[in-house]
Amino acid sequence: MKKVKKLFAFLTTLSMVLMMSAHVMAAVDLNAKYEVDTNKIQGWPQAADIASDTGILMDADTGTVLFDKGGDQQRYPASITKIMTLLVAVENSSMDEQVTFTETGVRNVAADSSNINSKVGEVMTMQDCLHALMIISANDAAAQIAEHVGGTEQNFIDMMNQRAAEIGCTNTHFTNSSGLPDENHYSSAKDMALIFREGLKNKDFRSVLGDADYTIQPTNMTSDKRVMHTHHPMFAPESDIYYPGCIGGKTGFTNLAAHTLVTAVEQNGTTYIAVVMHGVELSTCCLDSKALFDYGFGNFTKTAVDGGSVILPKGMDVNVLTTKSESSNGKIETVYYAGDHQVGTSTVDEMAATATPTPETAASETTGDTLDQSGESDNADISGTSSSEVSQNSKSTLDTQSTTTGKVSETKGVPALRKILLMIMAAMVLILIALLAALGRKERKHRR
């Protein structure tokens, strides 16, 4: 058994090393052009292109991607990197901690670098540093936060990369906490949206993010107050580009990255995250983001399902979705798809799911009762539904019911990527079996 565990650990480690190597060696192609992939989804509202190289619009609650233009393509993030710095910091420190500036932070005090003019030996609270990080993009604060939280700056950077992997980022590699230029420091619009989405779950993250204004009081080394106001035009009420419901975000710029922008807007209980990368001007990024928010709020609606919610184009019925359900640890998680595109998830207690009919089952029973009583279906329930659609809904019901026995059920909307991953896993199992067989032969020879 120990040898089996060692072999399995070896294969797992090898896979991770290969994946990390591929990321580090990846090159950012700034000349590549991309189409709006979500426009290819059948029944999806068509969106106009944006001027920025890449961009994404994501629902913060479900993780549904409403707009995707090169969302998985690597770009240099510049200072939107600080969103990850903020997340790792609030998860590993408290707001009232005293941060003492050292050469690590002060070396970033330069005329061509955003900073708060910190001095060696100056003491500020973590809350002060985090607001300087997000409001005026202070690079000295970023480096000092990293050293304070991580013990060393490099250890904090390792924490950033580890946290990105945990969140599900697949096209991100950080080499610093500020976003200063480095060819091996990159991310993607989708990964930055995932990081920002994770941050919104943290109350301290939201607290810092939500302040457009902040004042650092006099410290042990200065008698002056440091008054700060947001650089994000869509978050500044006085700006012509202010967007109602904006709850914050982060700007970024370097010559290589061009302009990058992350923004969140909440309206009527729905929060969307827009990320645009490699824009010509900050105003261009703002207009792109505004167009994405207008598209999202104008064309989609959130619909509750048992244990969760889905984001659907207006007019699309939840009953046309396909599902994939899996039972684990007494819970049933169901993923909803429009075609191959994930639009939401739900999680329910397995015992409750066994006792309570699913929405699909209830709809089927209602339809059956209506047919029994009147001999025809009610248009208000299944308007325009063909016999093939009814058959598909029945299949979805059977799939959902099968999860109560602990089996995985899957309808036609399974993404191709999942199939590829299953094939890879099967290949790894075969390799493991072969290694075990060879090991068995070797042990038998040894006994002889």
Side-chain angles (χ1 to χ4, degrees):
M1 181 59 70
K2 289 183 179 179
K3 292 181 178 178
V4 172
K5 289 182 178 179
K6 288 181 179 179
L7 285 172
F8 181 77
F10 171 75
L11 290 173
T12 303
T13 303
L14 180 61
S15 299
M16 293 180 65
V17 169
L18 290 173
M19 290 175 65
M20 290 299 295
S21 298
H23 288 326
V24 174
M25 294 173 62
V28 177
D29 183 2
L30 296 177
N31 296 315
K33 303 299 179 184
Y34 307 102
E35 298 178 349
V36 179
D37 288 338
T38 39
N39 282 346
K40 302 173 185 176
I41 302 172
Q42 187 174 3
W44 209 252
Q46 296 297 288
D49 198 357
I50 57 175
S52 300
D53 274 10
T54 67
I56 203 163
L57 181 69
M58 178 182 290
D59 174 55
D61 182 27
T62 65
T64 299
V65 174
L66 287 71
F67 175 97
D68 184 354
K69 177 187 177 183
D72 285 320
Q73 303 302 319
Q74 295 168 357
R75 285 293 182 271
Y76 298 114
S79 283
I80 60 175
T81 298
K82 294 181 174 79
I83 293 169
M84 176 56 90
T85 304
L86 172 62
L87 175 60
V88 174
V90 296
E91 290 181 338
N92 295 277
S93 67
S94 61
M95 289 292 193
D96 58 357
E97 288 184 18
Q98 301 294 301
V99 179
T100 302
F101 278 78
T102 67
E103 291 290 348
T104 299
V106 173
R107 72 168 183 260
N108 286 299
V109 176
D112 60 346
S113 175
S114 300
N115 63 80
I116 51 173
N117 195 29
S118 57
K119 299 173 175 60
V120 173
E122 188 168 14
V123 179
M124 301 180 197
T125 65
M126 178 60 71
Q127 185 175 18
D128 291 338
C129 293
L130 292 176
H131 279 87
L133 176 83
M134 294 300 290
I135 294 179
I136 63 170
S137 201
N139 293 321
D140 49 350
Q144 201 58 59
I145 290 167
E147 183 179 71
H148 177 87
V149 175
T152 65
E153 194 173 11
Q154 184 57 53
N155 188 53
F156 185 86
I157 295 165
D158 293 340
M159 293 166 67
M160 293 170 67
N161 285 314
Q162 180 180 344
R163 193 70 178 95
E166 292 170 355
I167 292 169
C169 300
T170 56
N171 291 287
T172 293
H173 183 258
F174 297 117
T175 61
N176 59 66
S177 59
S178 59
L180 290 171
D182 187 314
E183 63 180 7
N184 289 319
H185 184 101
Y186 51 81
S187 188
S188 69
K190 183 177 181 180
D191 283 359
M192 289 307 308
L194 289 173
I195 293 167
F196 199 66
R197 180 189 179 216
E198 188 71 13
L200 291 177
K201 301 174 185 178
N202 185 292
K203 64 179 182 64
D204 287 335
F205 183 100
R206 275 183 170 266
S207 175
V208 174
L209 182 75
D211 288 332
D213 296 279
Y214 188 82
T215 299
I216 299 177
Q217 297 299 324
T219 69
N220 62 317
M221 300 194 72
T222 177
S223 59
D224 296 327
K225 295 181 179 180
R226 293 177 171 98
V227 180
M228 300 177 290
H229 182 61
T230 182
H231 289 177
H232 195 319
M234 299 180 75
F235 189 44
E238 75 279 4
S239 169
D240 293 337
I241 317 178
Y242 172 76
Y243 200 95
C246 183
I247 60 175
K250 186 72 188 73
T251 61
F253 173 78
T254 66
N255 289 331
L256 195 58
H259 288 273
T260 58
L261 187 67
V262 178
T263 315
V265 169
E266 182 177 358
Q267 292 184 3
N268 300 320
T270 297
T271 301
Y272 289 145
I273 301 166
V275 182
V276 292
M277 303 185 75
H278 206 260
V280 177
E281 300 288 347
L282 176 57
S283 59
T284 303
C285 291
C286 289
L287 292 175
D288 282 345
S289 299
K290 179 183 183 301
L292 292 182
F293 288 123
D294 289 346
Y295 166 76
F297 289 115
N299 291 281
F300 296 87
T301 184
K302 182 175 292 185
T303 301
V305 294
D306 189 20
S309 59
V310 294
I311 293 290
L312 297 177
K314 291 182 176 179
M316 180 179 286
D317 195 312
V318 69
N319 289 321
V320 306
L321 302 178
T322 56
T323 61
K324 178 183 177 183
S325 299
E326 183 173 354
S327 176
S328 177
N329 298 322
K331 301 287 184 181
I332 296 176
E333 180 175 353
T334 301
V335 182
Y336 293 81
Y337 297 93
D340 288 338
H341 192 68
Q342 182 175 329
V343 295
T345 61
S346 67
T347 303
V348 296
D349 183 80
E350 190 167 2
M351 294 298 292
T354 303
T356 306
T358 63
E360 291 87 351
T361 304
S364 177
E365 291 172 351
T366 303
T367 302
D369 291 341
T370 305
L371 288 170
D372 288 341
Q373 293 173 9
S374 63
E376 60 183 350
S377 62
D378 187 344
N379 288 336
D381 292 331
I382 52 172
S383 176
T385 304
S386 66
S387 60
S388 64
E389 288 172 330
V390 173
S391 174
Q392 291 171 5
N393 289 341
S394 299
K395 182 178 184 297
S396 178
T397 301
L398 291 174
D399 288 338
T400 304
Q401 290 172 338
S402 71
T403 61
T404 61
T405 64
K407 296 180 181 179
V408 175
S409 62
E410 183 172 358
T411 59
K412 64 180 182 180
V414 182
L417 177 59
R418 295 175 183 269
K419 296 180 180 179
I420 294 173
L421 290 174
L422 287 173
M423 292 173 64
I424 294 173
M425 290 174 64
M428 292 180 69
V429 170
L430 290 175
I431 293 172
L432 181 58
I433 292 172
L435 289 171
L436 289 172
L439 182 61
R441 289 195 297 270
K442 183 176 180 180
E443 289 182 347
R444 285 196 294 272
K445 290 180 180 179
H446 181 71
R447 292 193 192 101
R448 293 173 185 170

